[in-house]
Amino acid sequence: MASVARHVRVTGRVQGVFFRAWTRDEAKRGGVTGWVRNCPDGSVEAHLEGDVTAVRWLIDKMAYGPHGARVDDVQVTEAEPQELSAFLVEH
């Protein structure tokens, strides 16, 4: 399968509900590398890399988020691969 990179921005009640840690755990479970961070506007953004099926799976999961989150919108754009070897929570 082809490797892809995607930039994802999630809006709604996505900060203060462990969204970043949950995304990291799900990414590791699905074999996706990249990073996730909170944004000053209250959204969460992520860079995801990996097999196209695994990345799509994680994006679909992010559309619901962890218990306690309320996802209003998920914006996905193609991104340049950063050749990352792990998934990190950025602060």
Side-chain angles (χ1 to χ4, degrees):
M1 289 261 170
S3 183
V4 298
R6 299 289 185 263
H7 182 265
V8 181
R9 181 172 297 275
V10 183
T11 57
R13 184 172 181 257
V14 293
Q15 290 189 14
V17 293
F18 301 101
F19 201 98
R20 292 176 300 161
W22 173 86
T23 300
R24 177 200 59 218
D25 294 347
E26 293 299 310
K28 287 181 179 181
R29 190 163 70 106
V32 175
T33 60
W35 51 261
V36 63
R37 66 181 168 212
N38 286 341
C39 297
D41 67 0
S43 66
V44 168
E45 71 176 336
H47 176 86
L48 311 178
E49 293 186 13
D51 174 85
V52 65
T53 303
V55 169
R56 181 76 249 167
W57 171 83
L58 183 55
I59 292 168
D60 289 346
K61 290 194 69 75
M62 291 174 76
Y64 293 94
H67 180 75
R70 186 196 75 245
V71 175
D72 294 336
D73 189 40
V74 178
Q75 299 172 352
V76 180
T77 55
E78 291 187 20
E80 288 294 319
Q82 297 177 5
E83 306 299 326
L84 303 169
S85 60
F87 197 93
L88 305 173
V89 173
E90 295 189 348
H91 299 279

